[in-house]
Amino acid sequence: MYQPSQSLMPINPVFNPNGSDNTSNRLIWFGETTNIIQLNDVRYSWAVSLYRQMRENFWVPEKIDITQDVTDYVNLTPGERRVFDGILSYLTFLDSVQTCNVPHIKNSVTAPEIVLCMTEQISQEAMHNQSYQYIIETVIPSDRRTHVYDF
């Protein structure tokens, strides 16, 4: 049975009443902020710009028409299908790991503006997972889906 080891990084409290919101003392890692996200007074202004740019990347998988992809998949050679299935399987696994791992890293980040970016990254990784599942469930024939998930 899996036994988690002791955490190597200290976990940032949800709210730190003893922290300071003074941006001149704010650190990305292991700082002493209150953890209140307030974007009008930040130390890392690039993070606010990055967050806004990340929000522009948002899209919903089911809104993309992949009807032609179904036809194209059927017309692939067996070798091409194997490559397609393998890449799709790999991306599903990769973004599953990222979706689960980024929150652990985020727990040690104390600059609220950076936390905001990481939270958006978690959301986007989860959306990627949903996208791959949408492709698997729409493009891949039902008798091959389990193979792709387990590839």
Side-chain angles (χ1 to χ4, degrees), residues 44-58:
Y44 306 103
S45 58
W46 58 265
V48 177
S49 297
L50 176 61
Y51 169 73
R52 290 188 175 123
Q53 183 180 3
M54 291 171 81
R55 290 297 299 157
E56 292 297 317
N57 292 334
F58 183 82

Side-chain angles (χ1 to χ4, degrees), residues 77-104:
T77 66
E80 292 169 332
R81 236 180 321 235
R82 178 170 166 72
V83 169
F84 182 87
D85 294 354
I87 291 170
L88 193 54
S89 177
Y90 173 75
L91 291 172
T92 300
F93 173 75
L94 177 65
D95 284 354
S96 295
V97 170
Q98 291 176 188
T99 302
C100 294
N101 191 44
V102 174
H104 296 290

Side-chain angles (χ1 to χ4, degrees), residues 102-120:
V102 174
H104 296 290
I105 297 168
K106 183 186 75 55
N107 285 337
S108 296
V109 172
T110 51
E113 57 270 33
I114 308 295
V115 168
L116 197 61
C117 291
M118 295 185 80
T119 302
E120 181 59 31

